Amino acid sequence: MTTEPLPPTMTASVHRRYGPPEVLHPEQVPVPAPRPGEVLVRVGAVAASAADAALRAARPAIARLAGGLLHPRNLILGSEVAGVVVALGQGVTAVAVGERVVGATGARMGAYAEYVCLQAVGIARVADGLTLPDAVGVTEGGLTALPFLRDQARLLPGQRVLINGASGCVGASAVQLAADLGAEVVGVCSGRSTELVRSLGAAEVIDYTAEDFTAARGAYDVVFDTVATSSFRRCRRALRPGGVYLTTAPSPVAAVQSLLTRGTRRRVRLAFTGLRPQTDKAADMTVLIGLAVEGRIRPVVDRTYPLADAAEAHRLIDSRHKRGTVVLVP
């Protein structure tokens, strides 16, 4: 079912080989048709993420296992996306054409385009008063930060949590969500982002260029390394008894540590948040959108680029100086 005529082709940002940002280029491709259980969305905003950049460059080399050994398996990148439903696949009844939604495509990607298909069970409605870029800005990092803090750390009011990479996409969400949960938040970032991180709810901010946060002793109930620049070995003594170390980089070493530290006084916990069921992601997106509407969290969007300038967006990501989310708009 559709209420608007759909063109046979659309513009997408495509990469047919691995390499620098320049491998991304606009190209005309067929408009996808929603399969049973899917909706077709006219894209209003899509996140350009560090994961996208890693898949584009095939760095580290293990990214080829997910993206394709010799050539990219998914020519069109992009997962977290917001837009307007324009067509329904067979069996979809819970959402209507014309509704604004946000969702994640998962491993098949495909959202750097004018249209993308999403599983109907994996989308959340975008409330009035929230723009589509803001919906992406709230959910991209939040989909990782929320399950880590709520489910892995089981964060409680009054606990002290350190967020490493506090001005990044996941970090900016984590600072806000931890503060909203009633925790005392210490953010780690560069000096230029200090005021931003304070404005997000951090009670204290550490400039990593001037101070080593791992030198603390028994200071934190939770250390959440959102940028994988530290390690449990370095952070262990900074944790209080019963403390938890969280990392978004599930390396073999961290996986072993998570097993060895079960039941010990200081633990490592991992989470594969991108592999969760789409229904769980949709439920969390609904929570995040609700928090944004209530003013309890806010989107942090570093910059918005036209879809045709996806290469420029990836240059910013590769610089490692972005703050919050980078958004592409068709």
Side-chain angles (χ1 to χ4, degrees), residues 188-189 204-216 220:
V188 179
C189 60
E204 180 184 340
V205 182
I206 296 173
D207 179 353
Y208 69 82
T209 67
E211 181 180 346
D212 180 8
F213 71 87
T214 68
Y220 307 109

Side-chain angles (χ1 to χ4, degrees), residues 185-211:
V185 181
V186 178
V188 179
C189 60
S190 66
R192 77 184 187 98
S193 297
T194 297
E195 291 308 312
L196 168 65
V197 173
R198 285 192 191 280
S199 74
L200 297 176
E204 180 184 340
V205 182
I206 296 173
D207 179 353
Y208 69 82
T209 67
E211 181 180 346

